[in-house]
Structures are given as structure tokens and as C-alpha cells.
């Protein structure tokens, strides 16, 4: 299943990933500076949430495209059960 992200979806996902990248850089800097553990954990949790949200956005877009393809009869040779198993694995990888 190949994702074809439209510009607005792609832009939102990339923004989330860039935000997470900045937060992770901030966490590294905070650790190097010897900052308070609570502050470091708060920033790390924010980066984790940003990555999760980007992943969920990608999966949601993929689901939408799969359903659209299946409804229009353009699906590839993958069976519904195989597709379901792959999507379940993707969801669980983010859980």
C-alpha cells in the first residue's frame, strides 16, 4: 500500500515531524545543559505525542485511500483480510 499524500495532508504531517525534530533537539540540549529532569521529560513527552500524531495522520490517510480504492474496484491483488492484518499491525506499532 503506497501512500499518495495530498499537499495539505503532507504539509501537516511534515510540520508535525519538524516540530518533533525541534523538540528532540531541545531535549538533547536540555540534557547537555543539565536541566531539570521534569522539564526534560515534559519536552520528551511532547515530542513523542507529535510523532504519534504524525503516524496516525499517515495511517488515517492510508486507510482513506484504501477504502476509496476498494470501493472503486481499483484495489491491487491484496485480499481484504491481508489488508486488515497489515493495517492492524500498523496501528499496533503506534500503540
Amino acid at each position: 500500500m503506497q501512500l499518495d499524500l495530498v499537499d495539505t495532508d503532507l504539509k501537516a504531517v511534515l510540520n508535525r515531524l519538524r516540530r518533533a525534530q525541534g523538540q528532540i533537539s531541545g531535549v538533547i540540549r536540555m540534557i547537555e545543559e543539565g536541566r531539570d529532569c521534569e522539564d526534560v521529560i515534559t519536552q520528551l513527552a511532547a515530542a513523542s505525542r507529535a510523532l504519534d500524531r504524525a503516524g496516525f495522520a499517515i495511517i488515517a490517510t492510508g486507510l482513506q485511500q484504501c477504502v476509496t480504492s476498494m470501493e472503486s474496484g481499483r484495489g491491487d491483488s491484496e485480499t481484504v483480510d491481508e489488508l486488515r492484518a497489515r493495517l492492524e499491525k500498523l496501528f499496533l506499532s503506534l500503540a
Side-chain angles (χ1 to χ4, degrees):
M1 166 176 53
Q2 183 177 354
L3 283 179
D4 181 25
L5 293 173
V6 294
D7 287 345
T8 55
D9 293 335
L10 180 60
K11 194 174 196 177
V13 168
L14 289 175
N15 284 341
R16 286 178 200 252
L17 291 173
R18 285 187 184 107
R19 185 176 309 122
Q21 183 179 31
Q23 289 167 324
I24 290 169
S25 294
V27 169
I28 292 168
R29 191 170 42 255
M30 291 170 79
I31 292 171
E32 291 172 343
E33 294 171 355
R35 297 275 298 273
D36 181 65
C37 179
E38 188 175 339
D39 294 339
V40 172
I41 297 300
T42 299
Q43 276 300 330
L44 192 56
S48 178
R49 282 191 304 273
L51 289 172
D52 286 344
R53 289 185 66 136
F56 288 131
I58 291 169
I59 290 173
T61 301
L63 277 172
Q64 180 182 9
Q65 290 174 8
C66 286
V67 168
T68 302
S69 289
M70 291 174 80
E71 286 176 350
S72 66
R74 296 180 320 189
D76 57 13
S77 61
E78 188 172 40
T79 68
V80 173
D81 289 337
E82 291 170 336
L83 177 61
R84 182 179 297 127
R86 285 182 47 203
L87 291 173
E88 182 178 336
K89 184 178 177 181
L90 285 174
F91 273 117
L92 291 174
S93 70
L94 289 174

